[in-house]
Amino acid sequence: MTDRQIKWYSEKYCVPCIDHNLTQSVLLLQPDEIILKVCKLLGVPVGRVLGSDRHSNYVVARYIISDILYSDRILTMSLKQIGRLLRNRHHTTIINCIRNVSDRCETDLDFRDKYRQVHIDLYGSDLYFRYTDKYYNLQKQKKRKKVFLIKD
């Protein structure tokens, strides 16, 4: 590989190794590790989160786990895979979880800060945390409708 190819590959798929001196910007985690760590950070038992319990703490943990697994750039898990991992939930349930997290992050700043802190504790960085003011400003610009005036 040339130096240019190594740089491109390491920026996109960097795994810690001995061959280069590049540092890893975020931790690489497996789905099971993510579930365990999020449950530990939020102080909820894994069995209850993966079960059918509807207590608000367990539901919020389920939402956060779904969103993290979906937005992880290394894992690139599909909705169906995430649903299977969370004890055979339907992919539409996972879509609902992701939308709910996005809506709550937009409206509830305390929830956004809590989720950001979980993200930092999980990955060691908030480099890829997507729910920022910049993200929501871009979303608002996309939703604006163009109005055309028709002259007679």
Side-chain angles (χ1 to χ4, degrees):
M1 290 178 92
T2 66
D3 289 339
R4 184 176 177 194
Q5 289 172 327
I6 291 172
K7 183 179 179 186
W8 175 83
Y9 184 83
S10 61
E11 286 174 357
K12 194 163 183 155
Y13 304 106
C14 185
V15 177
C17 62
I18 302 169
D19 296 330
H20 61 78
N21 61 356
L22 297 171
T23 57
Q24 184 179 337
S25 60
V26 295
L27 294 176
L28 302 173
L29 299 170
Q30 294 300 316
D32 295 337
E33 293 175 311
I34 290 173
I35 293 171
L36 291 174
K37 285 188 175 188
V38 169
C39 288
K40 185 178 178 184
L41 290 169
L42 296 176
V44 293
V46 177
R48 293 282 177 103
V49 170
L50 296 180
S52 61
D53 233 338
R54 296 296 301 159
H55 190 269
S56 64
N57 292 340
Y58 308 141
V59 172
V60 167
R62 222 176 281 141
Y63 286 172
I64 289 176
I65 289 169
S66 299
D67 190 67
I68 288 174
L69 289 174
Y70 185 71
S71 63
D72 192 304
R73 294 175 182 210
I74 303 297
L75 294 176
T76 60
M77 293 181 73
S78 69
L79 297 170
K80 198 170 189 175
Q81 290 171 330
I82 296 169
R84 259 191 245 121
L85 189 66
L86 296 176
R87 300 257 173 99
N88 292 325
R89 286 182 164 69
H90 199 262
H91 72 278
T92 56
T93 304
I94 306 304
I95 291 171
N96 182 43
C97 294
I98 294 165
R99 285 182 183 160
N100 195 307
V101 168
S102 178
D103 292 344
R104 286 187 70 176
C105 283
E106 185 175 9
T107 58
D108 187 2
L109 295 179
D110 293 333
F111 179 81
R112 187 191 313 179
D113 291 339
K114 179 180 177 181
Y115 181 39
R116 183 174 175 270
Q117 190 59 47
V118 167
H119 200 275
I120 290 170
D121 292 343
L122 190 63
Y123 289 109
S125 170
D126 68 344
L127 184 63
Y128 296 111
F129 183 71
R130 65 180 174 167
Y131 298 115
T132 60
D133 291 331
K134 183 179 179 182
Y135 170 81
Y136 289 111
N137 288 336
L138 288 173
Q139 293 297 321
K140 286 178 186 176
Q141 287 176 359
K142 288 180 183 177
K143 289 181 182 177
R144 286 185 187 157
K145 295 181 180 177
K146 294 182 180 179
V147 178
F148 296 101
L149 297 175
I150 300 173
K151 294 184 180 181
D152 292 333

